[in-house]
Amino acid sequence: MDLGYSTFGKLLNSTGKPMVYSCSWPVYQIYAGIQPNFSAVKTYCNLWRNYDDIQDSWTSVENIIDYYGNNQDLIAPNAGPGHWNDPDMLIIGNFGLSYEQAKTQFAIWSILAAPLLMSVDLRTIRPQFKRILQNRKIIAVDQDPLGIQGRRIYKHKGIEIWSKPIGPLYENFYSYAIAFINRRSDGTPSDISVTLKELGLINFNGYRVEDLYENVDYGVLYPNTKIKVKVNPSGVVMLKGEVQFPN
């Protein structure tokens, strides 16, 4: 595989035509008990699979989310402009996900800087799922030019928080996209309260905070400000904190 995938990548480039090269190189090696050489993978491939094929079910999406969270120290550093980890296609608008679950997949895939490959029949897609796929603000998080793959920064009793550094920057301070996920099965929304500082947003000039699904602008908040979000079961709240510059 090391020879075959790299040789095929060279041959594609030798055509002089711009192409996107998608590889299953790492996942096949992982299945075979071989440690992938990610330095080579990201040299020759534009995107690659690390884990099982997605199925049209929430359980499958959860398994992928768990894999990327549990193995983030190994796989997240390999992502960057032109070379991406691929958690597999979006199943939004098909049959296996509820509306809340579809929002969660779109949010986490964007936090992961993942390729957004749709699998839905666009002739029959329902309007609420179409709106998810057309959310330009979340697409912009996914396609942020810095190309940094986000990480799971909190996991406890079915609540998870994922964070992705994005632009603009002020000195060494990033802006951030934050996804709060409720994976509990108790059938009721969960309240999550946290300060910006606890999320890693520590610039004393503050952050302009916006809800990317609800289009609510919370204005400029500061590191010690506590925010409270209500997250539906198997759902998500996705915020963007844009770093502020001094006046």
Side-chain angles (χ1 to χ4, degrees):
M1 282 182 274
D2 287 349
L3 177 62
Y5 277 101
S6 60
T7 301
F8 195 67
K10 292 175 185 175
L11 291 170
L12 289 177
N13 284 337
S14 71
T15 67
K17 298 178 183 295
M19 302 188 197
V20 175
Y21 184 26
S22 174
C23 303
S24 291
W25 184 357
V27 69
Y28 289 150
Q29 290 192 321
I30 291 167
Y31 287 160
I34 302 168
Q35 175 60 44
N37 178 355
F38 281 107
S39 177
V41 171
K42 67 184 185 182
T43 297
Y44 294 107
C45 302
N46 299 116
L47 58 148
W48 54 84
R49 294 282 307 286
N50 297 287
Y51 188 61
D52 295 350
D53 291 345
I54 198 168
Q55 306 298 309
D56 192 15
S57 74
W58 175 237
T59 298
S60 179
V61 172
E62 285 193 298
N63 288 341
I64 293 169
I65 291 172
D66 285 337
Y67 180 85
Y68 273 79
N70 295 340
N71 296 279
Q72 59 189 10
D73 290 341
L74 173 64
I75 58 180
N78 302 314
H83 47 89
W84 311 102
N85 292 298
D86 178 14
D88 209 357
M89 69 186 78
L90 300 167
I91 55 170
I92 295 163
N94 293 327
F95 303 97
L97 299 186
S98 70
Y99 175 66
E100 294 293 339
Q101 292 162 355
K103 288 169 63 180
T104 299
Q105 189 192 15
F106 202 57
I108 294 300
W109 263 233
S110 296
I111 290 286
L112 293 174
L116 300 179
L117 305 175
M118 296 184 293
S119 63
V120 63
D121 187 339
L122 294 176
R123 298 168 300 181
T124 58
I125 186 171
R126 288 159 286 175
Q128 66 268 37
F129 294 103
K130 184 177 180 180
R131 284 194 294 272
I132 295 172
L133 292 169
Q134 290 181 323
N135 187 311
R136 292 181 181 273
K137 292 179 180 179
I138 296 179
I139 294 170
V141 168
D142 179 80
Q143 298 179 349
D144 180 75
L146 296 177
I148 300 172
Q149 180 170 318
R151 291 172 173 261
R152 186 179 66 197
I153 61 172
Y154 178 87
K155 179 182 180 182
H156 184 65
K157 293 184 177 180
I159 299 298
E160 296 183 13
I161 304 175
W162 291 69
S163 173
K164 180 184 193 316
I166 57 175
L169 285 76
Y170 168 64
E171 294 182 345
N172 293 322
F173 297 103
Y174 290 96
S175 302
Y176 287 90
I178 307 288
F180 302 85
I181 312 175
N182 177 6
R183 295 179 60 182
R184 294 176 180 169
S185 56
D186 50 12
T188 187
S190 293
D191 291 327
I192 305 172
S193 296
V194 64
T195 64
L196 295 192
K197 182 166 61 176
E198 290 172 316
L199 296 172
L201 281 66
I202 58 174
N203 175 39
F204 62 86
N205 295 309
Y207 298 80
R208 189 169 201 92
V209 176
E210 179 183 13
D211 187 315
L212 299 185
Y213 272 120
E214 300 300 323
N215 284 317
V216 176
D217 186 337
Y218 292 101
V220 177
L221 307 180
Y222 295 91
N224 289 324
T225 305
K226 178 167 283 191
I227 58 173
K228 182 177 180 180
V229 295
K230 184 182 292 289
V231 190
N232 291 333
S234 67
V236 66
V237 170
M238 190 168 187
L239 303 180
K240 175 184 174 182
E242 183 173 318
V243 71
Q244 298 297 289
F245 293 71
N247 294 326

